[in-house]
Amino acid sequence: MAKHHVEAIINGDPAEFLCGTEQTLLDCLRDELSLTGSKEGCSSGDCGACSVMLDGRLVCACLVLGVEVNGKKVETIEGVAKGDDLHPLQKHFLQEAALQCGICTPGFIIAAKALLKENPHPTETEIRYWLAGNLCRCTGYDKIIAAVQKAAAEMRGES
Amino acid sequence: MGNEKDHLEAIEGKEKFRYIGTSPIRPDGVDKVTGRANFGADFTANGMIHGRVVRSPHAHAKIKSINIEKALKMKGVKAIVTGQDFPKIDPSDKVVGEVVVSFYDMSQNVIARDKVFYDGHAVAAVAATSIKIAEEAAALIEIEYEVLPAVMTVIDAMKKNAPVLHKGMKTEGMDPVPKRSSNVASRAELKLGNATEAFKDADVIVERDYTAQTVHQGYIEPHACVAEVSADGMATIWSSSQGQFMVRAFVAKLCAMNASKIKVIPSEIGGGFGGKTKVYLEPLALLLSRQSGRPVKMVMTREEVLRATGPTSGGHARAKIGAKKDGTLVAAELEMEYEAGAFAGSPVKLGCMTGFAPYNLKHVSCIGWDVVVNRPQAAAYRAPGAPVAAFAVESAMDELADTLGIDPLELRIKNAAVEGTQAPYGVKFPKIGCLETLRQAKATEHYNMPLGPNQGRGVASGFWFNIGGQSSASVMVNPDGTVIVATGSPDIGGSRASMALMAAEVLGIDYDNIKPLVADTESVPFSDLTGGSRVTFATGKAVVEAAEDAVNDMKRRAAKVWDVDIDQVEWKDGIATCIETDIHKPMTIAEIAAMAGKTGGAISGKANINAKGAGAAFATHICDVEVDPETGYVQVLRYTAVQDVGTAIHPAYVEGQMQGGAVQGIGWALNEEYVYSKDGQLQNTGFLDYRVPVASDMPMIDTVIVEVPNPGHPYGVRGVGEVPIVPPLGAVANAVSHAIGIRMADLPMSPPKILATIDAAD
Amino acid sequence: MANLDYSSPSSVKEVVKILTAAKGKAKVMAGGTDLLVQLRAGRLKASTIVDVKNISELRTIKKEKNGFTIGAAVSGAELGAHKAVNKAWPGVVEGLELIGSTQIQGRASLGGNLCNGSPAADGVPGMIAAGATCLIAGPKGTRTVPVEKIVVSPGKTSLKSGEFLVSFFLPNRPKKSGDAYLRFIPRTEMDIAVVGVGVSLTIDKKGMCTDARVSLGAVAPTALLVKNCANALIGTNIDEDALNALSEAASSACNPIDDKRGTIKYRTKVAGVLARRATVIALKRARKN
């Protein structure tokens, strides 16, 4: 079979690429579109470093085929900030020291953004369970949880 | 800056620091939260092709033949290498220091020669125009193995008729040297006084065997690199590594190249914890690039990371402690066997050196055996060797406290190492904060909270030396008075921010006007790798000295402009003032920088040092757990980490190190372990079954920063990165033991083990 | 070397056509959370992938007169958001919701979970306990099969060549019914079940159990429907004695293996513990209905 021609909306902009069936969305983002912000940690959906939004749904890009996103909307870490304006999650991750090596950070920010869209006032437990699919080996999760809580408060207009 | 006395005065004296002790946003932070930062796998080069490694499916086998013909013929395949393509290295070629680095072993680990020693051992590498073609070609390489019996555990490896992995391995450190080869690479021994005799004075003795399994550092970023060798023999390597100079030196050695012909550019690194202080892919990529004439990119899969990169040693420990009725320790013994993996070099000696370090003991005996097994060669993992030794010692201390009816923290306080105590490894401790961490732990709200049914509390202490080593720093003043600080230390945890803070403190200018960067091997003088908790200490020291050098340069320029002696010039808060102020107007750094050309050229400072005076770090942790007696499930309820950090340059990042290390230790204690089949194939090759803690497993990790400044550093810094992983194994084991009322001495304490222990006791 | 084909048909008929033509070399794809892992690991022996997510029957949840129809490719996130199914079958929903992470939930489906054929599949015991049936489409038309008859051994289903799973049907239960799914894993999330138990029961006005179905997962080559467990409950008030009998029956039914996730001894014991706990939850829910 010849390569698939895929047209999708990525971070609000039309994008197109060619891919083989076996190339995942993650492969396509990184190798075909040079969007290397989504990271590959495991290729088996166990670490969340490749988290993206697909038609408004939080998914692991390593478990979606590139060909599947034809006609769909994808949001990646590259689309979270608006130019120079960082999203509250990005700001609070920095302020709360919620990153050390930073490899898991894009995945966490996408996942946390999806959480706050669905639940603007999550408890600590709700945050931890929502983010259970995002592994971090550096921080022990503490400051990540704190950053999400602070960002949520700001987004609710409380801070 | 001069000596200890100067340092202590600077720290303990008078005014507060202006920048040190604040927690500003890290300079690389925005790139990391927007996905712009480039890690190992994010780099591409023009004309780049892709490499894949062929790995042994056998734990132990002879390689009878390798046939690459079919693979070579495949369209798109540009190069194939096997062990035969690599230069021969003499078995005696090694660097002997704190740890022995054998280039002979290293070369064999990177790619097998006559034998394979573990499931996943690299046997060949292919470079092709796409990953798909490289994988298909790899499958066409025909390798004939003669499978040998696999030796998977230390116990099996030490049996009388065990299959020997390396012919000619005769245990070092034995007198007389053994006649027969074995799997025991070496024996280490540390002694203080005469423990055997001193035990006779004990009123109470506790003695027990402990076991721990192989665990992996678990960094989320797999190893990755791009190597390019041009036609004139100049090589460039982009690599995710803890040490660009280390990569250069090792690749030069393994590929028989002149180090000056190799440029190594460090990428951002997605976690290392000691696991990226080795080379795995770089020599392969380099040879593939040389053969193909194209840049070659190689990225490991998670399965390859687990199968074929260094985990840390599992093993056994027997700990014996004797004490008087009132809790005074009289003698202690530790004997350990650690898995070295396929080649010699487990950190068992470091375990021997650190296990009893938190205690004032006159009679200690520590023996460590380094044993090879058919597992990947062990690599450092955050305080290598110390966690398992501390697990045994801290469990024994707990058992002793229980037996004597003394509070476990009180027992430790009573016997704590202090300034002047002789450590088991010989050194007399200078000023240290061991006792302070114990006292502060005892005073926490956590320690005094009540416990409910099926709940237990455990405490443990830990020690790590921290090292100094070689670091270089360049401080360059831009024409507008902003400053660049360049060092050769990859930034794993936020050290760039700390470098900028220390430079800011010396220069007296805003943190935001300083740009710290991590330079490649051609842009900054030699630096030892990032590890050993040395960067904030040693590279920080170099940065301080380089900044002082720059300040002196600027004072000289001001003196020139004012036509006065340099000792008439003072520097404070980024401004040069002449002691006779009414004659000469003060000049800001920006003003001096603007006239740099007129006063002699660009302004910079440098320092290339081999830092001495690293400060030892101590920590005490408290852990509360609840155990479900019907399933053995453990929930960690509360965790507090108390640690002496010397001076917290960036308190938020210091807390981050404490929390991260604690959670790694909790994972090690509860659920992480390598599971091998009888034939030595790794069963859990992914994060599904290699179970690191997830966010919902953990509570908030409370931290208490203790500051007993290190007189060896201008700002009192002690390394903070490693000691946090030393106490958790003991703290968690003690907590679980208390929760179920039975001593757990076998890690990890997974639910089936706990339930079996509970049921056996009924 | 042959390339992997991919198609995304928009009707059941089309899918059957492609599957029949492929003669066993086609793989149906719903969420892909198992399929892509196998593809990556080189374990996928297929020449074509048939994506069924664009077929409306596979993606809809419908409340019928006598039960719910749930499309086989409905994702965990979608099912979790469906108020009516959550109310009627919390046990079925919680089984699916426990699979993997939030990201996995965005894609994973009951159909994929069942047809992947893992003995430890979280979505299965709850459905077996619910008495759910599967609507299978194939070259000879459609047929209905109880969920417990789909998986015949690890990784293998009873589906014939050209057939695929279209939807599930959950038949209504009388008032005062409740269900629950519990699993044991060593961490809080992200593990494959070491033991899984699905319980569905009905009680009468006096609190006596009139019907029950108990299913065990991860303790045998396939998920089990354990009649002895049901018999331990039916006709009783689900008191301490009944729960003990249930526990023992659950442990006795186990035929597990030793593997990197659990031992035979451990699974057998915990199956009994979880059967009891799941029954208690199902009972609480039944009393509320």
Side-chain angles (χ1 to χ4, degrees):
Chain A
M1 183 180 228
K3 290 207 169 175
H4 308 285
H5 178 226
V6 177
E7 289 176 286
I9 307 286
I10 307 211
N11 296 326
D13 295 323
E16 62 181 302
F17 56 88
L18 295 175
C19 69
T21 302
E22 72 290 332
Q23 278 177 280
T24 63
L25 172 60
L26 183 63
D27 293 334
C28 297
L29 288 171
R30 291 179 56 83
D31 302 334
E32 309 303 331
L33 297 172
S34 298
L35 291 170
T36 56
S38 307
K39 306 298 179 191
E40 180 154 353
C42 73
S43 314
S44 56
D46 294 307
C47 77
C50 65
S51 300
V52 298
M53 301 298 285
L54 176 59
D55 275 353
R57 200 61 89 180
L58 178 64
V59 298
C60 280
C62 72
L63 293 183
V64 176
L65 292 176
V67 61
E68 284 187 74
V69 309
N70 193 41
K72 296 199 161 53
K73 286 207 197 96
V74 181
E75 291 165 52
T76 71
I77 184 66
E78 287 91 344
V80 173
K82 296 290 167 245
D84 267 350
D85 279 324
L86 295 180
H87 187 277
L89 278 166
Q90 290 169 312
K91 263 191 359 232
H92 288 280
F93 263 66
L94 290 173
Q95 281 167 18
E96 297 304 309
L99 59 142
Q100 290 180 29
C101 78
I103 192 89
C104 71
T105 306
F108 266 101
I109 288 177
I110 293 284
K113 188 164 179 257
L115 166 63
L116 296 183
K117 184 150 185 245
E118 185 160 311
N119 180 357
H121 204 149
T123 63
E124 179 190 332
T125 305
E126 284 171 330
I127 297 173
R128 287 184 180 277
Y129 274 85
W130 181 278
L131 296 175
N134 289 80
L135 297 184
C136 175
R137 198 57 162 164
C138 292
T139 66
Y141 303 108
D142 203 282
K143 294 181 187 301
I144 292 175
I145 308 302
V148 174
Q149 287 171 324
K150 289 234 161 89
E154 179 180 322
M155 289 165 73
R156 290 193 303 268
E158 281 168 30
S159 55
Chain B
M1 202 192 248
N3 54 32
E4 292 192 4
K5 191 159 161 292
D6 292 337
H7 296 169
L8 281 173
E9 269 175 25
I11 308 153
E12 287 167 2
K14 319 79 42 152
E15 53 206 58
K16 261 190 78 162
F17 292 124
R18 195 164 160 194
Y19 301 102
I20 285 170
T22 60
S23 293
I25 289 179
R26 53 196 295 166
D28 51 308
V30 174
D31 278 353
K32 288 189 171 164
V33 298
T34 55
R36 276 203 295 268
N38 285 326
F39 292 83
D42 297 331
F43 187 72
T44 53
N46 292 331
M48 191 174 82
I49 59 177
H50 300 267
R52 299 293 302 140
V53 179
V54 179
R55 299 183 180 280
S56 164
H58 305 294
H60 194 197
K62 287 197 188 128
I63 299 175
K64 310 274 336 219
S65 67
I66 303 180
N67 191 335
I68 63 173
E69 267 178 55
K70 282 200 194 118
L72 263 179
K73 287 206 185 91
M74 200 173 178
K75 227 177 169 170
V77 172
K78 297 294 178 200
I80 299 183
V81 297
T82 67
Q84 304 310 313
D85 295 296
F86 281 79
K88 271 189 157 54
I89 295 188
D90 196 84
S92 63
D93 199 341
K94 41 175 105 168
V95 176
V96 181
E98 252 314 329
V99 195
V100 175
V101 177
S102 159
F103 292 110
Y104 176 72
D105 287 347
M106 187 189 294
S107 185
Q108 283 191 78
N109 194 39
V110 164
I111 193 159
R113 304 297 201 276
D114 312 315
K115 279 178 82 174
V116 289
F117 292 98
Y118 52 95
D119 167 33
H121 197 169
V123 180
V126 183
T129 51
S130 76
I131 297 182
K132 192 161 181 233
I133 295 174
E135 278 170 354
E136 287 167 4
L140 291 179
I141 296 179
E142 293 164 339
I143 307 173
E144 212 191 316
Y145 294 101
E146 179 191 319
V147 181
L148 301 168
V151 181
M152 297 310 296
T153 66
V154 156
I155 289 183
D156 284 339
M158 292 175 89
K159 281 192 178 134
K160 197 142 182 246
N161 293 312
V164 170
L165 268 61
H166 301 284
K167 242 195 323 219
M169 176 172 279
K170 306 219 167 92
T171 314
E172 283 176 25
M174 300 271 286
D175 186 22
V177 178
K179 291 207 184 83
R180 294 174 69 222
S181 300
S182 72
N183 293 315
V184 184
S186 65
R187 176 187 186 277
E189 183 166 358
L190 288 177
K191 259 186 147 84
L192 275 184
N194 186 339
T196 316
E197 272 305 303
F199 271 116
K200 298 187 180 144
D201 290 335
D203 294 328
V204 170
I205 296 178
V206 297
E207 183 174 5
R208 195 178 282 273
D209 288 318
Y210 301 86
T211 345
Q213 296 299 320
T214 318
V215 298
H216 195 272
Q217 301 82 348
Y219 33 83
I220 306 300
E221 181 208 23
H223 298 254
C225 71
V226 177
E228 177 168 11
V229 186
S230 58
D232 62 357
M234 302 296 287
T236 305
I237 300 176
W238 163 280
S239 162
S240 166
S241 166
Q242 289 175 239
Q244 59 276 54
F245 289 95
M246 175 270 300
V247 171
R248 183 180 75 172
F250 289 176
V251 169
K253 196 77 194 195
L254 266 46
C255 301
M257 272 182 81
N258 201 322
S260 61
K261 293 200 152 50
I262 305 173
K263 172 177 176 175
V264 181
I265 305 168
S267 70
E268 294 297 337
I269 170 173
F273 314 112
K276 290 182 179 158
T277 58
K278 293 190 159 197
V279 293
Y280 297 102
L281 296 174
E282 293 86 347
L284 300 175
L286 191 118
L287 253 64
L288 286 171
S289 178
R290 189 191 276 160
Q291 220 187 78
S292 64
R294 307 272 289 267
V296 175
K297 179 173 185 174
M298 297 184 76
V299 182
M300 282 198 192
T301 62
R302 176 55 49 187
E303 183 183 311
E304 288 180 293
V305 173
L306 287 170
R307 280 172 79 206
T309 67
T312 195
S313 313
H316 299 273
R318 181 183 55 83
K320 179 178 177 183
I321 308 184
K324 291 272 186 230
K325 260 198 304 260
D326 70 352
T328 311
L329 300 184
V330 299
E333 249 175 42
L334 188 60
E335 184 164 359
M336 305 191 290
E337 299 87 30
Y338 276 16
E339 298 163 352
F343 303 94
S346 79
V348 71
K349 183 165 182 195
L350 295 170
C352 287
M353 291 164 80
T354 57
F356 289 115
Y359 306 109
N360 179 9
L361 282 160
K362 303 250 174 333
H363 302 279
V364 181
S365 160
C366 298
I367 298 173
W369 302 90
D370 184 35
V371 184
V372 295
V373 293
N374 289 118
R375 297 177 181 228
Q377 183 182 32
Y381 179 16
R382 214 161 187 167
V388 174
F391 163 51
V393 171
E394 296 302 310
S395 296
M397 286 296 281
D398 197 60
E399 196 171 350
L400 189 62
D402 280 346
T403 310
L404 291 172
I406 299 178
D407 173 275
L409 284 178
E410 268 312 316
L411 178 65
R412 289 170 171 83
I413 287 169
K414 194 181 179 63
N415 294 284
V418 294
E419 186 172 358
T421 300
Q422 174 139 39
Y425 59 96
V427 136
K428 259 208 168 70
F429 284 129
K431 213 168 158 89
I432 52 172
C434 181
L435 197 50
E436 286 76 355
T437 68
L438 288 163
R439 290 206 172 113
Q440 293 236 25
K442 193 139 195 273
T444 58
E445 211 182 303
H446 177 176
Y447 196 66
N448 297 291
M449 285 183 79
L451 289 166
N454 298 315
Q455 295 180 357
R457 175 166 297 148
V459 300
S461 292
F463 159 86
W464 190 249
F465 329 76
N466 303 321
I467 61 173
Q470 298 182 64
S471 282
S472 300
S474 268
V475 170
M476 296 160 270
V477 183
N478 295 319
D480 63 356
T482 60
V483 171
I484 297 174
V485 175
T487 68
S489 296
D491 181 354
I492 317 183
S495 47
R496 263 169 295 197
S498 299
M499 299 305 119
L501 282 169
M502 285 184 270
E505 199 69 43
V506 173
L507 294 164
I509 64 174
D510 270 348
Y511 168 86
D512 290 326
N513 287 337
I514 299 180
K515 179 175 179 171
L517 50 90
V518 179
D520 64 53
T521 55
E522 291 183 352
S523 310
V524 77
F526 180 87
S527 283
D528 280 325
L529 53 75
T530 291
S533 310
R534 63 171 225 96
V535 173
T536 311
F537 171 74
T539 307
K541 214 171 186 185
V543 166
V544 166
E545 289 182 26
E548 285 166 349
D549 193 25
V551 164
N552 281 335
D553 193 357
M554 289 188 283
K555 282 161 87 175
R556 222 174 24 250
R557 311 301 178 101
K560 187 168 183 163
V561 166
W562 295 331
D563 195 21
V564 299
D565 273 336
I566 190 173
D567 51 17
Q568 296 290 294
V569 183
E570 266 180 5
W571 183 273
K572 191 170 153 62
D573 293 341
I575 300 173
T577 41
C578 182
I579 287 179
E580 307 160 31
T581 338
D582 43 353
I583 303 176
H584 300 292
K585 202 166 77 81
M587 284 201 282
T588 66
I589 187 173
E591 287 165 340
I592 297 174
M595 25 159 94
K598 291 202 199 114
T599 58
I603 300 170
S604 74
K606 77 168 170 67
N608 307 325
I609 66 174
N610 190 340
K612 307 268 183 256
F618 289 86
T620 300
H621 289 194
I622 312 168
C623 176
D624 290 352
V625 303
E626 182 172 316
V627 179
D628 182 334
E630 287 187 307
T631 63
Y633 175 76
V634 178
Q635 188 191 356
V636 180
L637 301 171
R638 272 169 231 111
Y639 201 95
T640 302
V642 183
Q643 183 174 327
D644 172 22
V645 308
T647 299
I649 301 294
H650 191 301
Y653 293 157
V654 167
E655 285 169 5
Q657 293 299 308
M658 293 164 70
Q659 292 164 335
V663 171
Q664 283 179 318
I666 295 172
W668 195 334
L670 290 179
N671 278 307
E672 292 179 41
E673 60 179 320
Y674 267 34
V675 178
Y676 279 98
S677 70
K678 210 174 20 80
D679 294 328
Q681 271 90 31
L682 186 61
Q683 300 297 292
N684 50 345
T685 56
F687 280 133
L688 175 62
D689 290 304
Y690 182 80
R691 303 188 191 103
V692 305
V694 299
S696 42
D697 291 336
M698 293 291 106
M700 290 296 197
I701 309 289
D702 289 331
T703 56
V704 177
I705 292 179
V706 170
E707 287 178 308
V708 175
N710 167 25
H713 183 278
Y715 295 125
V717 166
R718 295 180 191 273
V720 303
E722 287 170 290
V723 76
I725 205 175
V726 182
L729 277 60
V732 179
N734 292 337
V736 172
S737 301
H738 287 284
I740 65 175
I742 311 164
R743 173 66 40 192
M744 293 294 293
D746 181 11
L747 298 184
M749 294 173 289
S750 54
K753 263 198 206 138
I754 293 179
L755 191 62
T757 304
I758 293 174
D759 287 347
D762 282 343
Chain C
M1 193 190 199
N3 283 323
L4 186 58
D5 283 352
Y6 169 92
S7 59
S8 182
S10 45
S11 75
V12 170
K13 248 194 163 133
E14 260 181 270
V15 175
V16 174
K17 204 163 154 217
I18 299 171
L19 293 180
T20 312
K23 295 201 221 302
K25 291 230 164 161
K27 270 283 182 181
V28 171
M29 176 184 180
T33 53
D34 283 317
L35 197 80
L36 264 65
V37 175
Q38 288 157 10
L39 174 64
R40 220 25 188 263
R43 293 201 304 268
L44 204 70
K45 310 277 181 252
S47 61
T48 188
I49 291 178
V50 187
D51 186 343
V52 296
K53 294 193 292 293
N54 287 319
I55 302 165
S56 57
E57 294 98 302
L58 279 278
R59 297 296 298 276
T60 40
I61 304 171
K62 231 168 42 180
K63 174 134 184 49
E64 323 264 15
K65 204 168 63 163
N66 45 357
F68 282 98
T69 300
I70 302 174
V74 167
S75 73
E78 288 164 338
L79 190 68
H82 197 278
K83 285 202 173 82
V85 177
N86 269 273
K87 192 157 186 282
W89 295 103
V92 172
V93 176
E94 60 202 2
L96 180 59
E97 299 303 285
L98 281 172
I99 299 174
S101 57
T102 313
Q103 289 86 340
I104 299 294
Q105 286 293 304
R107 304 265 293 173
S109 65
L110 282 171
N113 191 236
L114 174 67
C115 294
N116 186 48
S118 164
D122 284 312
V124 176
M127 280 203 291
I128 292 178
T133 55
C134 299
L135 180 69
I136 310 290
K140 296 203 181 120
T142 59
R143 60 192 184 100
T144 303
V145 181
V147 169
E148 60 269 26
K149 294 268 190 286
I150 296 291
V151 181
V152 299
S153 66
K156 277 186 109 161
T157 67
S158 58
L159 298 182
K160 302 194 188 44
S161 173
E163 289 188 321
F164 79 110
L165 173 59
V166 174
S167 59
F168 296 93
F169 181 70
L170 294 172
N172 286 340
R173 290 173 301 180
K175 272 196 148 65
K176 291 251 167 283
S177 297
D179 72 339
Y181 174 74
L182 277 185
R183 71 175 180 180
F184 183 82
I185 53 172
R187 295 179 291 181
T188 50
E189 289 281 335
M190 302 305 287
D191 287 325
I192 298 290
V194 179
V195 177
V197 180
V199 176
S200 173
L201 53 83
T202 307
I203 54 176
D204 67 13
K205 273 189 293 221
K206 296 208 198 103
M208 192 188 74
C209 178
T210 55
D211 198 8
R213 282 169 68 94
V214 177
S215 173
L216 303 180
V219 294
T222 65
L224 306 171
L225 174 61
V226 187
K227 225 157 185 237
N228 287 342
C229 286
N231 292 340
L233 297 175
I234 296 172
T236 76
N237 281 331
I238 311 187
D239 54 8
E240 202 49 38
D241 285 337
L243 287 172
N244 286 337
L246 162 79
S247 242
E248 265 186 61
S251 292
S252 303
C254 291
N255 180 21
I257 55 169
D258 280 334
D259 70 3
K260 57 185 177 273
R261 295 175 189 143
T263 59
I264 293 170
K265 211 167 173 191
Y266 184 75
R267 288 180 152 119
T268 305
K269 167 125 200 237
V270 175
V273 173
L274 288 192
R276 165 199 288 262
R277 293 181 183 182
T279 301
V280 168
I281 297 172
L283 179 60
K284 252 200 206 104
R285 288 173 176 163
R287 287 186 179 138
K288 273 212 206 106
N289 282 338

